[in-house]
Amino acid sequence: MAMSAKQPMVVGIDESEHSIYALEWTLDHFFSPFASNPPFQLFIVHAKPSAASAVGLAGPGAADVLPYVDADLRKIAARVVEKAKELCLTKSVNDAVVEVVEGDARNVLCDAVEKHHASILVVGSHGYGAIKRAVLGSVSDYCSHHAHCSVMIVKRPKIKH
């Protein structure tokens, strides 16, 4: 099977356990069983919010805060990338491409699908409560409507107490 025949797959990740679980689940189901020749080329994409959007405030004093916020977001992004690479190595997936793109996750992931001509986009399901979801709108909802490919939403099993 030629390299070019592999279908591009985009997995969106952030620092949440849900998204790390989604990546792990994807590796276990679409990569590990195929040993050294999985049918997909994996692109792992982390959307790093801009400092301004993360702070969500303008006005006096905001400018002083932004460099600190940005440094923090960069640290998170580096941690997420590290974790993703680690998981790939653990599962013997050596040709994954990990990218950090600044912007809102919804746009970033839909753009990544276009850029890589992905045939499938994988996102984790965030266990947001109803209120937070109403305010944020869910990334998976948005992508399932706007991405030009199939979208798979990986849900973590509910822990039974």
Side-chain angles (χ1 to χ4, degrees), residues 48 68-81:
K48 176 178 117 29
Y68 297 102
V69 175
D70 191 58
D72 215 40
L73 291 167
R74 258 191 258 253
K75 273 198 206 89
I76 291 171
R79 258 205 312 272
V80 171
V81 165

Side-chain angles (χ1 to χ4, degrees), residues 25-58:
W25 192 93
T26 301
L27 292 169
D28 286 343
H29 289 78
F30 292 94
F31 292 87
S32 300
F34 300 98
S36 55
N37 198 9
F40 293 97
Q41 164 65 48
L42 182 59
F43 296 94
I44 301 169
V45 180
H46 171 62
K48 176 178 117 29
S50 70
S53 76
V55 174
L57 56 93

Side-chain angles (χ1 to χ4, degrees), residues 55-112:
V55 174
L57 56 93
D64 305 335
V65 180
L66 293 184
Y68 297 102
V69 175
D70 191 58
D72 215 40
L73 291 167
R74 258 191 258 253
K75 273 198 206 89
I76 291 171
R79 258 205 312 272
V80 171
V81 165
E82 213 35 59
K83 182 81 186 146
K85 287 183 173 165
E86 214 172 276
L87 260 178
C88 288
L89 285 177
T90 308
K91 312 278 182 188
S92 310
V93 177
N94 303 315
D95 58 352
V97 178
V98 185
E99 303 175 327
V100 174
V101 181
E102 181 159 308
D104 180 86
R106 288 169 281 213
N107 306 326
V108 166
L109 293 178
C110 289
D111 291 349

